[in-house]
Amino acid sequence: MMNILVPIGTSTDAHETLQYAVDFAADFNAQIYVMEVFNVTGKTGTLTNITQKIAENSRERLKDIVGQVKVDGNEIKIVNFNGELADGLRELDKELGIELIILAPRSNDVQEEFYLGQTSGAIIKRTNIPTLIVPKGTTYKKFKTILVAFKSGILKRKRILDPLIDIKKKHSSEVNLLLVKPPVILMMT
């Protein structure tokens, strides 16, 4: 069974991305985990149970989002993490073996010049977990073509292509590759 992680940000449309992930998971017999990350550090003079209160609020917010989604039999598991996003993703991957992350391109509906927001960009840059980016308002359907972007041809995990292979086989999809090379800056003095 494939384990899919859906990081939930601050978007009011987070339930749309989660619905897409649930429909995808049903098609691939996968388990869904929703995750929210918060970062609270205790300081002298603060409430001792503030981390617990924030974790409870986070869990309730995730339950509300899950409640907006039509789930056909597959349970959605809720995870929250206190700390940095990259640390939370690594820890959850180590514990569960996350095969795929499904997320929206940005956590807020801000018209910006970049497709990926700060959080979604950080997830892609700081993990070696395959990521499926779902634009706002997209509903799950058969994949006709797939664009795979990568920075190098070196695979750091043997199973990193497994979700791509599964999708291609199931939907007879055409796969296109995009090599993303950062610009080279020459310094001359």
Side-chain angles (χ1 to χ4, degrees), residues 124-125 127-131 133 146-156 160-161 164 175-182:
I124 291 169
K125 288 177 186 177
T127 69
N128 289 318
I129 303 170
T131 305
I133 301 169
I146 300 169
L147 175 63
V148 179
F150 57 95
K151 192 173 181 178
S152 76
I154 299 169
L155 301 177
K156 295 181 181 178
I160 202 162
L161 292 178
L164 175 63
V175 177
N176 297 292
L177 304 176
L178 174 63
L179 177 61
V180 180
K181 285 285 194 182

Side-chain angles (χ1 to χ4, degrees), residues 113-137:
E113 63 181 280
F114 299 110
Y115 182 66
L116 293 177
Q118 182 177 3
T119 304
S120 54
I123 289 171
I124 291 169
K125 288 177 186 177
R126 295 181 185 155
T127 69
N128 289 318
I129 303 170
T131 305
L132 177 61
I133 301 169
V134 180
K136 181 181 174 184

Side-chain angles (χ1 to χ4, degrees), residues 45-104:
T46 60
L47 297 173
T48 56
N49 63 350
I50 194 164
T51 302
Q52 180 182 353
K53 291 289 185 190
I54 291 174
E56 288 172 8
N57 286 344
S58 174
R59 187 168 287 282
E60 288 304 314
R61 183 178 163 304
L62 290 176
K63 283 181 183 178
D64 288 344
I65 292 169
V66 169
Q68 297 176 45
V69 173
K70 181 183 173 196
V71 180
D72 292 330
N74 198 357
E75 178 187 2
I76 298 173
K77 297 186 178 181
I78 295 175
V79 179
N80 51 20
F81 182 79
N82 182 14
E84 294 297 321
L85 175 64
D87 295 334
L89 292 172
R90 277 191 288 272
E91 188 173 307
L92 191 59
D93 183 33
K94 189 186 310 181
E95 183 180 327
L96 301 172
I98 300 298
E99 280 92 7
L100 183 66
I101 296 174
I102 296 179
L103 54 82

